[in-house]
Structures are given as structure tokens and as C-alpha cells.
Amino acid sequence: MTSDPDATIVVSGATDHPQLPGYEIERLLGEGGMARVYLARDVNLNRPVAIKFMSAALAENQDFRERFDEEGKIIARFRHPNIVTVHASGSIHASRYIVQEYVSGGTLEDRIQQRNVQPRDAFRIAREMAGALAYSHERQIVHRDLKPANILFTEDGAAVLSDFGIARSIAEDDGRTVAGSVIGSLRYMAPEQLRGERPTDRVDVYALGIVMFEMLTGDVPPNDLKVIATDAQRAALRSRLPEDARGATDFIAACLHPSASERPSAEECLRLLLDQRNALLRRRQRSATLRTAAAVLVVLALGLATIVSWWRSIPVLQVQPPTAAVYLDGAPHEGRLPLDGDASLAISVLHNGYYGVSQTVTQPAADDVQVVLQPWRYPQRKDFIDFNSLFSVDTPAASIDPQQFDDPLFRGLLTLLRTHAQGERNALQAQQDSLLGLARLGDAPAQLGLVLAADEGLISMDSAEQEEMLRRASQAGYALATFYLALHNRQKEETIRGGTDRLAISQYAQTMERAVQQGLSFAADYAAQARQALAD
């Protein structure tokens, strides 16, 4: 049995299993105040699933029935690698149920109790949860019960957010959460939750700060550090963190600000954590450079011939075209690769007019590293139509063949989609990081890819950042981005105004014509249709 008094699920040995057509129920995984969760096998698809059955005692309560039904509806709309996937929901013999993916790697609560969370893992888990929350908040859903018991792990170690049983829409509050009510787990509640105020998305950010502290120290903060409002509290918070994790002080303090409006959003949390990771990588690179300099001093004592021989032995990064920009771990780089025998380097190479490349090299590299960029080339209309027919989270993995496309962007996005469909979360995270890294360095195809991936829920990204990425990729001269920009602006106009006026159609035609000028030939058909509509 778990020891957390707020735990949603506790392990139990009960054997009175319910029955559900199409599933073979194997054993009870756990139970909590609202539901029992069983391990089962989907007979048709031959895969393990977790089935949550609502407690019979609560099924008579209309409010709890609605909450349970809403949980299934909320998660069923979500497609995110760090949010548990719902396969089905419904009721049978007055018993409500939710069928979701079986996440077999245990909970964060278990790992904390076992003191099995290293600082590097804590930062990764926090990034994954910030991404999941940002995705949820973008869709106007507040979780309201983020805690270690609700963070599960897949077999390959990816963190997955579960249990949206008390989640609520920010935009469409139904009135059930009234002033004065307190819902959630007390140890992780924001001050405004404890006061019974209507929650905003910042209550999840507060809980993320508590969870981060707990991962690093083994327990939640003491009462005098449950909010961080003064420099003295910040200093006390820092002193309680392990020495190698004190870089988390500012992040935790920001999450635990007493005022909800002063806390960062989940998206901002994700950026803070990514920036912190990149800063750490840059420090590693500087450290490697210092070690290289120290090695030079040693070699100087060995004579000029030895120096020349040693220098020539250092791996060289060769890029084509030679004027391409090179980044090591996100920082600009020139010259030979740094010597660092216990690290790996993330190498990104970019040049406008070429597809950017991101790859990892384990140090020390035995040979010179060569990166050859390929120039942009644009798909034909048939390829565009075929890609759109496949690029959907509803497409089965077996139907996705990235190699049928010559366009590197389409191939990359379909590879990302297939990895998502196969549930390979670590590989998916690596592909997402690569795409995100190239996009933020200014690679236009990656920027468009990020926008399209976000549209399908494969990456968490707010709409404003999507528009900015799309605009930048178009301005860089990437014709396919200009084409999608025209489609995006027209759809936005139709959504806002319920249709398009002559000015909007004219702007659409002009943008499509710019795509043609940039090299996308089939955009001419779309421009012609718009011009014909104006003539009519």
C-alpha cells in the first residue's frame, strides 16, 4: 500500500473482477476514492490496457458520475507523448469505465520513496510534465491534481501524466467548482486552491514546483517554504536543495510565488527548463575547451613535431556548404571538435536554402565528422495530397511509410508520427528535441515541421508561437511555409468572421503567388482559384 494520504490509487489484493466485453481482465492494479483500476487485455488488438471502473458507491452521485465521464472525454481528445492515452469509455450495467493505455513502469511516488530520482532525471521529468501541462492548458484544461502518484512511467522511462478526474475547463467552468470548495491533494495545493478560489492554470504550475522540490529532496517543502516571496525564503530554499541541483532554485521559486498571476505559465516553465539544460550543456562545452587547452600546455613540453601530430589527430567537423553555421549543444562553434572523453555532442548544421541537420557524436570521435546539407526541394501536388492523407494521429503505424516521400520534411514528420503511433516515447522525445532545436536555431523546414507537428498534437506549442514560426519560415524564402501560411491565414479569417471577404481572398492569392515565386509550382493552382473567385 502507498503511504501518501492523498494517493489516488493504492495497491490492493481484491479478486472480485468486473467483466467488460472485448477485454480479459487479469488483476486489480489499485483503487482509490473514485475508482478501481484493473490490468486487462484488449482481445481484438491483443494489447495490455488499464481499465478504470467507477466506484459503485459513487455511481449514485450525479456530480461524481459527471466528473468521471468528463475525465474520459477530456483525455480522449488529447494526443501527447506525456499524457496517458484513452482508448474508450462508456458504461455497462450502470458501471462507468475508462479504457486507457497500460503504463507499466510504476509511479514517481514510488521512485521518490525509494530515493531513486537523480537530479538529471528530475529536470527531465519536470520538462516532460511542463510540456504535458502546456499542451493541456493550451486546450483550456487545468489538471488540478498534479502529484507524484499521478505521474507514471513507461518501460523506457518516459514520464506520463494521468488521472484527469478533477480536471476542469478554464473557459467553460460549469459552476460545480464554487467559491469555498477545496478539491485536490492538500500537499500540492496552491494557496488560492486552499482558499477555495476558482482555479486557473497556475495551480498546476505551483504543483509542478512542489513536485520538483520533492524529486530533488525526497519530501515536499516545509510550511515556511510552501510559498517563496522573499530573498530570505529563496536562500533557505536553495540551501535545502542538493548541491548539484541548486540550479533549480529560481525555477522552483517562480512556481511557488504566492500570487498566481506572477507565476510562469506551463509553456514558460518548459522554456525555462530547456534554457537551463542548454546552459548546462554550454558549461560542459566550455569545460571541455579548458581541458583541451590544458592538454595543449602538456603537449608543448613534448616538442613541435608532437604538437603537430597531436593537433592533426583531433577530429575535424567538415560541413558542406562550407559557409554553413555550426552549433555544438546549441552554441555557435568554429574549428575542431572539443576533446571530452565522457560526453556526447549535439551537432546542428544550418544554411538558408538547405535542410538543417542535427546529430549526436560521442566523444572522443575516432574520425572526422562530415555533414553534407541537402538543398531545399519542393513536393509535387500529388505528394502533398498523399502526405495530408497520412499525417494524422488516427493513422495506424502499419500504414505509415515515410520512405515513400522524397521530401525530407514529409519523411521526417511521418517518422515522428510513426514513432508516436508505436508508443516509443524515448525515441519520440529525441525526435521532438531535434526538430525543436533546429527550429529555434532558425531552420525554416524545421520551423514549418514544428507547426505541423503541433497541429497534430505531436508537440506542445501555443498558437502565437506557431504563427511566429510559420511567418519566419516564409520570410526565409521557404516556399512550402509560405503555402501553409496562406492556408493558415485563410482558415483563421474564416474562423473569426465566418467567411472570407474580397480583401482576405486577395491576400490569400498574393501569398500563394509568392509561394510560386519561391519555387512551389502547384501553389499556382490555388492562386488561380482565388483570382477566379475574385473575378466572379
PDB file of all heavy atoms in Angstrom, residues 359-373:
ATOM      1  N   GLN A 359      22.624  16.000 -35.296  1.00  0.00           N
ATOM      2  CA  GLN A 359      23.053  14.646 -34.965  1.00  0.00           C
ATOM      3  C   GLN A 359      23.909  14.679 -33.715  1.00  0.00           C
ATOM      4  O   GLN A 359      24.437  15.727 -33.331  1.00  0.00           O
ATOM      5  CB  GLN A 359      23.826  14.013 -36.123  1.00  0.00           C
ATOM      6  CG  GLN A 359      25.149  14.692 -36.459  1.00  0.00           C
ATOM      7  CD  GLN A 359      25.820  14.099 -37.683  1.00  0.00           C
ATOM      8  OE1 GLN A 359      25.292  14.165 -38.789  1.00  0.00           O
ATOM      9  NE2 GLN A 359      26.993  13.511 -37.486  1.00  0.00           N
ATOM     10  N   THR A 360      24.051  13.525 -33.071  1.00  0.00           N
ATOM     11  CA  THR A 360      24.829  13.414 -31.843  1.00  0.00           C
ATOM     12  C   THR A 360      26.100  12.632 -32.124  1.00  0.00           C
ATOM     13  O   THR A 360      26.065  11.583 -32.768  1.00  0.00           O
ATOM     14  CB  THR A 360      24.016  12.717 -30.743  1.00  0.00           C
ATOM     15  OG1 THR A 360      22.834  13.477 -30.479  1.00  0.00           O
ATOM     16  CG2 THR A 360      24.831  12.598 -29.459  1.00  0.00           C
ATOM     17  N   VAL A 361      27.230  13.151 -31.639  1.00  0.00           N
ATOM     18  CA  VAL A 361      28.521  12.493 -31.799  1.00  0.00           C
ATOM     19  C   VAL A 361      29.064  12.174 -30.417  1.00  0.00           C
ATOM     20  O   VAL A 361      29.147  13.049 -29.550  1.00  0.00           O
ATOM     21  CB  VAL A 361      29.514  13.389 -32.563  1.00  0.00           C
ATOM     22  CG1 VAL A 361      30.894  12.739 -32.612  1.00  0.00           C
ATOM     23  CG2 VAL A 361      29.011  13.668 -33.963  1.00  0.00           C
ATOM     24  N   THR A 362      29.427  10.925 -30.192  1.00  0.00           N
ATOM     25  CA  THR A 362      30.008  10.518 -28.918  1.00  0.00           C
ATOM     26  C   THR A 362      31.481  10.871 -28.898  1.00  0.00           C
ATOM     27  O   THR A 362      32.203  10.632 -29.868  1.00  0.00           O
ATOM     28  CB  THR A 362      29.833   9.010 -28.703  1.00  0.00           C
ATOM     29  OG1 THR A 362      28.438   8.692 -28.741  1.00  0.00           O
ATOM     30  CG2 THR A 362      30.393   8.585 -27.352  1.00  0.00           C
ATOM     31  N   GLN A 363      31.918  11.466 -27.796  1.00  0.00           N
ATOM     32  CA  GLN A 363      33.310  11.888 -27.662  1.00  0.00           C
ATOM     33  C   GLN A 363      34.147  10.774 -27.051  1.00  0.00           C
ATOM     34  O   GLN A 363      33.662  10.032 -26.194  1.00  0.00           O
ATOM     35  CB  GLN A 363      33.386  13.118 -26.762  1.00  0.00           C
ATOM     36  CG  GLN A 363      32.740  14.354 -27.373  1.00  0.00           C
ATOM     37  CD  GLN A 363      33.561  14.904 -28.497  1.00  0.00           C
ATOM     38  OE1 GLN A 363      33.373  14.515 -29.628  1.00  0.00           O
ATOM     39  NE2 GLN A 363      34.483  15.789 -28.191  1.00  0.00           N
ATOM     40  N   PRO A 364      35.437  10.660 -27.395  1.00  0.00           N
ATOM     41  CA  PRO A 364      36.054  11.387 -28.496  1.00  0.00           C
ATOM     42  C   PRO A 364      35.752  10.711 -29.822  1.00  0.00           C
ATOM     43  O   PRO A 364      35.729   9.496 -29.922  1.00  0.00           O
ATOM     44  CB  PRO A 364      37.554  11.306 -28.178  1.00  0.00           C
ATOM     45  CG  PRO A 364      37.680  10.017 -27.427  1.00  0.00           C
ATOM     46  CD  PRO A 364      36.407   9.837 -26.655  1.00  0.00           C
ATOM     47  N   ALA A 365      35.502  11.498 -30.848  1.00  0.00           N
ATOM     48  CA  ALA A 365      35.217  10.939 -32.163  1.00  0.00           C
ATOM     49  C   ALA A 365      36.484  10.323 -32.742  1.00  0.00           C
ATOM     50  O   ALA A 365      37.561  10.892 -32.654  1.00  0.00           O
ATOM     51  CB  ALA A 365      34.689  12.034 -33.091  1.00  0.00           C
ATOM     52  N   ALA A 366      36.352   9.129 -33.318  1.00  0.00           N
ATOM     53  CA  ALA A 366      37.516   8.438 -33.854  1.00  0.00           C
ATOM     54  C   ALA A 366      37.965   9.058 -35.169  1.00  0.00           C
ATOM     55  O   ALA A 366      39.145   9.048 -35.496  1.00  0.00           O
ATOM     56  CB  ALA A 366      37.191   6.964 -34.042  1.00  0.00           C
ATOM     57  N   ASP A 367      37.039   9.566 -35.941  1.00  0.00           N
ATOM     58  CA  ASP A 367      37.334  10.114 -37.252  1.00  0.00           C
ATOM     59  C   ASP A 367      36.734  11.503 -37.382  1.00  0.00           C
ATOM     60  O   ASP A 367      35.947  11.946 -36.545  1.00  0.00           O
ATOM     61  CB  ASP A 367      36.758   9.207 -38.350  1.00  0.00           C
ATOM     62  CG  ASP A 367      37.288   7.780 -38.255  1.00  0.00           C
ATOM     63  OD1 ASP A 367      38.516   7.610 -38.282  1.00  0.00           O
ATOM     64  OD2 ASP A 367      36.452   6.859 -38.141  1.00  0.00           O
ATOM     65  N   ASP A 368      37.137  12.181 -38.462  1.00  0.00           N
ATOM     66  CA  ASP A 368      36.500  13.460 -38.768  1.00  0.00           C
ATOM     67  C   ASP A 368      35.011  13.265 -38.976  1.00  0.00           C
ATOM     68  O   ASP A 368      34.566  12.215 -39.442  1.00  0.00           O
ATOM     69  CB  ASP A 368      37.126  14.056 -40.031  1.00  0.00           C
ATOM     70  CG  ASP A 368      38.573  14.485 -39.806  1.00  0.00           C
ATOM     71  OD1 ASP A 368      38.989  14.548 -38.639  1.00  0.00           O
ATOM     72  OD2 ASP A 368      39.267  14.742 -40.805  1.00  0.00           O
ATOM     73  N   VAL A 369      34.248  14.277 -38.601  1.00  0.00           N
ATOM     74  CA  VAL A 369      32.790  14.217 -38.749  1.00  0.00           C
ATOM     75  C   VAL A 369      32.404  15.049 -39.965  1.00  0.00           C
ATOM     76  O   VAL A 369      32.769  16.222 -40.066  1.00  0.00           O
ATOM     77  CB  VAL A 369      32.092  14.761 -37.486  1.00  0.00           C
ATOM     78  CG1 VAL A 369      30.575  14.745 -37.673  1.00  0.00           C
ATOM     79  CG2 VAL A 369      32.479  13.921 -36.274  1.00  0.00           C
ATOM     80  N   GLN A 370      31.674  14.436 -40.891  1.00  0.00           N
ATOM     81  CA  GLN A 370      31.266  15.119 -42.112  1.00  0.00           C
ATOM     82  C   GLN A 370      29.748  15.288 -42.118  1.00  0.00           C
ATOM     83  O   GLN A 370      29.014  14.340 -41.857  1.00  0.00           O
ATOM     84  CB  GLN A 370      31.705  14.334 -43.342  1.00  0.00           C
ATOM     85  CG  GLN A 370      33.209  14.239 -43.495  1.00  0.00           C
ATOM     86  CD  GLN A 370      33.620  13.567 -44.798  1.00  0.00           C
ATOM     87  OE1 GLN A 370      32.815  12.921 -45.448  1.00  0.00           O
ATOM     88  NE2 GLN A 370      34.876  13.748 -45.177  1.00  0.00           N
ATOM     89  N   VAL A 371      29.297  16.486 -42.408  1.00  0.00           N
ATOM     90  CA  VAL A 371      27.875  16.786 -42.520  1.00  0.00           C
ATOM     91  C   VAL A 371      27.649  17.494 -43.849  1.00  0.00           C
ATOM     92  O   VAL A 371      28.201  18.575 -44.083  1.00  0.00           O
ATOM     93  CB  VAL A 371      27.380  17.675 -41.364  1.00  0.00           C
ATOM     94  CG1 VAL A 371      25.890  17.988 -41.542  1.00  0.00           C
ATOM     95  CG2 VAL A 371      27.623  16.997 -40.023  1.00  0.00           C
ATOM     96  N   VAL A 372      26.862  16.880 -44.707  1.00  0.00           N
ATOM     97  CA  VAL A 372      26.563  17.452 -46.019  1.00  0.00           C
ATOM     98  C   VAL A 372      25.079  17.803 -46.064  1.00  0.00           C
ATOM     99  O   VAL A 372      24.218  16.924 -45.915  1.00  0.00           O
ATOM    100  CB  VAL A 372      26.902  16.463 -47.157  1.00  0.00           C
ATOM    101  CG1 VAL A 372      26.551  17.074 -48.511  1.00  0.00           C
ATOM    102  CG2 VAL A 372      28.373  16.080 -47.099  1.00  0.00           C
ATOM    103  N   LEU A 373      24.776  19.083 -46.223  1.00  0.00           N
ATOM    104  CA  LEU A 373      23.384  19.532 -46.268  1.00  0.00           C
ATOM    105  C   LEU A 373      22.818  19.368 -47.676  1.00  0.00           C
ATOM    106  O   LEU A 373      23.532  19.540 -48.670  1.00  0.00           O
ATOM    107  CB  LEU A 373      23.289  20.997 -45.847  1.00  0.00           C
ATOM    108  CG  LEU A 373      23.823  21.355 -44.454  1.00  0.00           C
ATOM    109  CD1 LEU A 373      23.519  22.816 -44.134  1.00  0.00           C
ATOM    110  CD2 LEU A 373      23.231  20.450 -43.391  1.00  0.00           C
TER     111      LEU A 373
END
